[in-house]
Amino acid sequence: MKTASCNTNIMDMFEKGKVLKICAPMVRYSKLAFRSLVRKYNCDICFTPMIVAADFMRSVKARDSEFTTNERDRPLIVQFAAHDAQTLADAACVVAPFSDGVDLNCGCPQRWAMSAGYGACLINKPELVKDMVRHVRNQVDNPNYTTSIKIRIHKDLKQTVDLCQKAESAGVSWITVHGRTTEERHQPVHYDAIKTIKDSVSIPVIANGDIKYLRDVESTHKLTGVDGVMAARGLLANPAMFAGYEDTPLECIWDWVDISIEQGTPFTCFHHHLIYMLERVSSQPERKVFNSLSSTAAVIDYLQNTYGSVHDLIT
């Protein structure tokens, strides 16, 4: 890992009055190569995938495999799963020279995470969240370094407001709200709940959930008054979404090929991303053929034969 020459002050970005566009933490997917791609298409801030802080601190091998970055990978937020304040603070201190903030995952609804005391179970432990935020703030030696949390909402929204206000009192920099409860998966996002949370704190709030097109960024902002919008599946389907494209443009597909080859992205990851990107622009028979490809060379041949090369875009 190389240290970038300077840290971005993310809080200054919020003060510019625009709605920030953010790439969500996604297990297996929001790694360096994909972050490099979405940054080319108007993504303001990127998150790493969720990293279990205790495992990260346990071995150098875990740190090297879980966290990869470069000098152009900024602004960058490193998201950790943790249930112990000192472990989170230790992990934050390790990544602070290479990033612009850490985020505590308080929203992952997966059973393994919650049974281990991570993720969404933390929304029911506001005092512990306060303690973890405070530890990071006190121990990272950089006043511009942000400490944020990503949460889901309670059925009783008063509990969520209480959690957010307690986190604010502990010095949390900003809060991302996924507008569903822990039990909800594909139900409609509760925009009214996000608005209530935004109105109850004085720090920036990010909305997350069902952002599939650039127009969803503006409509979510109008409904909630949030300071930024975070997308996950929408960006997987179209990494150029924040630049206003309705579907993944050919230029973006070839950018992904170039970045993947340059960074040595494993084939499975390289292929999976393209499966997502092509889903809305290819027919079912085409998808069946593409999904069965088993080498980078075969993928490149298929793309050139089916969609054309980058040179075709210019001529």
Side-chain angles (χ1 to χ4, degrees):
M1 292 183 296
K2 292 182 179 178
T3 308
S5 56
C6 62
N7 282 68
T8 303
N9 188 337
I10 286 182
M11 301 315 291
D12 285 348
M13 296 174 69
F14 286 114
E15 290 169 16
K16 289 175 183 173
K18 66 172 184 174
V19 184
L20 294 183
K21 298 183 281 292
I22 302 172
C23 178
M26 291 177 275
V27 176
R28 295 186 301 278
Y29 290 120
S30 54
K31 294 188 174 181
L32 175 60
F34 188 68
R35 298 195 301 265
S36 303
L37 179 66
V38 296
R39 289 185 193 282
K40 293 189 75 163
Y41 292 92
N42 292 5
C43 186
D44 296 310
I45 300 170
C46 290
F47 273 58
T48 68
M50 181 182 78
I51 300 168
V52 177
D55 296 345
F56 185 77
M57 293 307 297
R58 203 168 287 134
S59 77
V60 174
K61 187 178 178 183
R63 290 196 283 281
D64 288 343
S65 66
E66 291 285 335
F67 180 59
T68 308
T69 185
N70 62 29
E71 291 177 353
R72 300 179 301 280
D73 187 30
R74 308 298 280 271
L76 179 66
I77 304 294
V78 183
Q79 191 189 65
F80 285 111
H83 51 55
D84 168 74
Q86 191 54 54
T87 304
L88 177 63
D90 289 343
C93 289
V94 170
V95 300
F98 312 100
S99 57
D100 304 289
V102 292
D103 185 82
L104 174 63
N105 185 312
C106 303
C108 179
Q110 293 183 36
R111 196 171 291 124
W112 75 265
M114 293 181 67
S115 63
Y118 302 133
C121 71
L122 291 175
I123 64 174
N124 298 315
K125 300 176 182 178
E127 294 301 327
L128 176 57
V129 172
K130 269 180 70 173
D131 194 35
M132 289 197 276
V133 168
R134 198 173 282 130
H135 266 68
V136 175
R137 298 293 288 188
N138 290 342
Q139 293 179 42
V140 173
D141 187 24
N142 177 356
N144 293 334
Y145 200 72
T146 62
T147 307
S148 55
I149 60 174
K150 185 173 186 290
I151 66 170
R152 282 184 172 241
I153 60 173
H154 298 82
K155 286 179 183 173
D156 178 2
L157 200 58
K158 289 176 188 169
Q159 289 178 266
T160 318
V161 169
D162 177 64
L163 167 70
C164 294
Q165 290 176 340
K166 281 179 173 163
E168 181 179 20
S169 72
V172 81
S173 307
W174 45 288
I175 296 171
T176 301
V177 182
H178 183 104
R180 295 184 176 98
T181 66
T182 304
E183 293 76 28
E184 293 174 329
R185 292 295 183 272
H186 303 294
Q187 290 88 336
V189 172
H190 299 283
Y191 293 106
D192 54 337
I194 298 174
K195 183 180 190 310
T196 298
I197 293 162
K198 170 61 187 166
D199 292 344
S200 71
V201 294
S202 57
I203 52 175
V205 172
I206 307 297
N208 175 222
D210 282 0
I211 306 299
K212 294 172 182 170
Y213 300 95
L214 182 62
R215 59 182 174 271
D216 297 333
V217 174
E218 186 53 39
S219 63
T220 300
H221 173 64
K222 282 183 178 174
L223 283 168
T224 61
V226 290
D227 306 274
V229 167
M230 176 184 286
R233 286 192 298 263
L235 279 176
L236 282 181
N238 178 9
M241 175 184 74
F242 285 147
Y245 292 93
E246 290 286 296
D247 297 307
T248 310
L250 184 59
E251 180 187 1
C252 180
I253 289 167
W254 285 113
D255 281 340
W256 173 244
V257 172
D258 291 342
I259 289 167
S260 298
I261 291 170
E262 180 194 340
Q263 296 189 12
T265 301
F267 175 75
T268 303
C269 179
F270 166 68
H271 191 212
H272 278 182
H273 273 293
L274 285 168
I275 289 171
Y276 278 114
M277 290 182 212
L278 294 171
E279 192 171 5
R280 294 206 299 240
V281 297
S282 57
S283 66
Q284 193 170 357
E286 286 173 337
R287 286 199 297 273
K288 192 173 180 182
V289 171
F290 185 80
N291 294 1
S292 69
L293 299 176
S294 58
S295 73
T296 300
V299 166
I300 291 172
D301 283 346
Y302 177 91
L303 292 173
Q304 285 178 332
N305 292 332
T306 309
Y307 300 105
S309 69
V310 180
H311 301 296
D312 297 330
L313 293 171
I314 300 166
T315 54

